[in-house]
Amino acid sequence: MSSSISSERVTTPRLTLNVVSVPEATGDPVVFVHGNVSSSTFWHSTMTAIAGRFRPLALDLRGFGDSDPEPVDASRGVRDYSDDVLSFLDTIGPAHLVGWSLGGAVVMQALRDRPEAVRSLTLVNPCSPYGFGGTQGPEGALNHPDGAGSGGGAANPDFVAAIKARDLTADSPISPRSVLRAAYVAPGTDLGEEEDAFVESMLSTRIGDDHYPGDSAATDAWPGLAPGKRGVLNTLAPTNFRIDDLHTIDPKPPILWIRGAQDVIVSDTSLFDLAHLGAIGAVPGWDGTPAQPMIAQTRAALDLYGAYREVVIEGGGHGPQIDSPAEFREALLAHLLER
């Protein structure tokens, strides 16, 4: 951890969270929520960069980092996570929320459920409002009623095993370090001294049916797997998570949507979407199921919402806060200062 970042355990009625902050920073609170297979570590450099104007805070979601590893009930979508965030906000008051990837879905759900607690929202390469996998079209129609093609069974079992074994190497293309380099950031990004901390952050992910990746169910529909009701990936299954009425909330704080143009995880041709992988021959037996248009789905939902701005970082990947920090911080600060 950077010397300019401190960590404390914050107990809420739901669980005890690990929360990192910048000592002596003052101003409006900005709460950062990380993505899947990561932790608050991925926000440290952003936090120190904005601490002169805001009070940055980042928490570890349950089952990641140093927060309590409470089980995840995916039948509630991402609400186990978003309710944890809202419980934290009950201790500090309304805040600006910034969510990355899975964290984007979490902060969208928090906004949907408690708009009065959110000063503004920033979505960083967020999961689609219609979940991850198993849908088609900008309206997020299910490919199959049981959500086939999404959920816990969609994870690469070798990647899961590498996390469990605490593989620190880049010897395999599915080791956490290799996935960090190939998928979390744009190609050719030099993460320097931070890379080891990011890998340790990924390895903090709890493994199992109650955490990552979660349980799974069989289905007759291609590709033969459907979501379960426990664990991380099932929180984003379209049968468990869907926000199609965000535009109905009141009040309606402004939303900034930042995305990296080179993101291969949240994309209309995602390399983590089984339908797209089937189309390119990486998953056998593909039956023509179309890839999920994740960007188009998010844009459709935000167009209905109205009060948003989209910023595309051309050189950015899935984590533009670490591979394109200058452009990311410029967009984020402009949004926060407007509010």
Side-chain angles (χ1 to χ4, degrees):
M1 181 180 294
S2 167
S3 59
S4 56
I5 295 286
S6 67
S7 175
E8 65 176 321
R9 303 272 288 170
V10 176
T11 299
T12 76
R14 293 179 54 79
L15 79 169
T16 297
L17 294 165
N18 182 61
V19 179
V20 297
S21 61
V22 179
E24 301 181 6
T26 59
D28 290 342
V30 182
V31 176
F32 293 88
V33 183
H34 64 81
N36 195 12
V37 191
S38 65
S39 73
S40 56
T41 300
F42 280 79
W43 293 118
H44 286 183
S45 61
T46 302
M47 294 172 66
T48 57
I50 73 165
R53 298 183 179 182
F54 295 92
R55 179 191 172 200
L57 302 154
L59 52 82
D60 292 334
L61 296 173
R62 60 172 63 198
F64 299 95
D66 292 323
S67 286
D68 284 355
E70 296 299 311
V72 177
D73 178 1
S75 69
R76 306 182 67 234
V78 298
R79 277 194 170 96
D80 270 0
Y81 298 128
S82 60
D83 285 351
D84 292 346
V85 172
L86 290 171
S87 187
F88 175 61
L89 294 190
D90 287 339
T91 72
I92 66 167
H96 301 277
L97 295 184
V98 182
W100 170 44
S101 196
L102 164 66
V106 172
V107 299
M108 273 191 278
Q109 188 69 65
L111 174 61
R112 173 64 189 84
D113 293 343
R114 293 261 302 278
E116 70 279 1
V118 182
R119 293 173 180 259
S120 75
L121 200 72
T122 300
L123 303 173
V124 186
N125 289 327
C127 172
S128 162
Y130 311 133
F132 196 99
T135 66
Q136 59 183 283
E139 74 290 346
L142 285 172
N143 293 333
H144 192 269
D146 63 8
S150 67
N156 184 320
D158 293 332
F159 178 57
V160 177
I163 297 172
K164 189 173 183 178
R166 291 191 51 80
D167 183 353
L168 293 167
T169 74
D171 295 342
S172 162
I174 50 78
S175 74
R177 189 178 299 273
S178 295
V179 171
L180 170 69
R181 294 173 178 175
Y184 281 40
V185 294
T189 301
D190 181 4
L191 294 173
E193 295 179 355
E194 289 186 299
E195 183 173 279
D196 286 344
F198 293 147
V199 173
E200 286 291 346
S201 169
M202 296 170 73
L203 294 176
S204 77
T205 302
R206 307 312 198 279
I207 299 299
D209 285 351
D210 283 325
H211 297 291
Y212 182 79
D215 62 347
S216 184
T219 177
D220 292 334
W222 185 88
L225 59 91
K229 297 296 184 182
R230 300 157 59 197
V232 181
L233 294 186
N234 293 308
T235 68
L236 297 174
T239 48
N240 295 327
F241 171 76
R242 182 179 180 90
I243 299 180
D244 54 9
D245 59 352
L246 194 62
H247 59 284
T248 68
I249 66 169
D250 182 34
K252 193 179 288 184
I255 294 176
L256 171 64
W257 174 25
I258 306 178
R259 61 183 183 87
Q262 299 185 56
D263 187 358
V264 298
I265 296 178
V266 175
S267 165
D268 287 354
T269 52
S270 169
L271 294 179
F272 291 73
D273 175 13
L274 295 184
H276 176 64
L277 292 174
I280 63 176
V283 177
W286 182 60
D287 64 352
T289 298
Q292 180 186 6
M294 301 178 188
I295 304 303
Q297 289 176 354
T298 297
R299 184 174 294 114
L302 293 180
D303 282 346
L304 284 176
Y305 186 85
Y308 86 98
R309 183 164 65 100
E310 178 182 354
V311 173
V312 181
I313 299 177
E314 293 301 330
H318 187 60
Q321 75 272 31
I322 57 175
D323 66 23
S324 305
E327 297 94 327
F328 177 81
R329 293 167 193 171
E330 180 182 10
L332 175 63
L333 277 171
H335 176 64
L336 296 174
L337 290 169
E338 283 174 8
R339 186 63 174 168

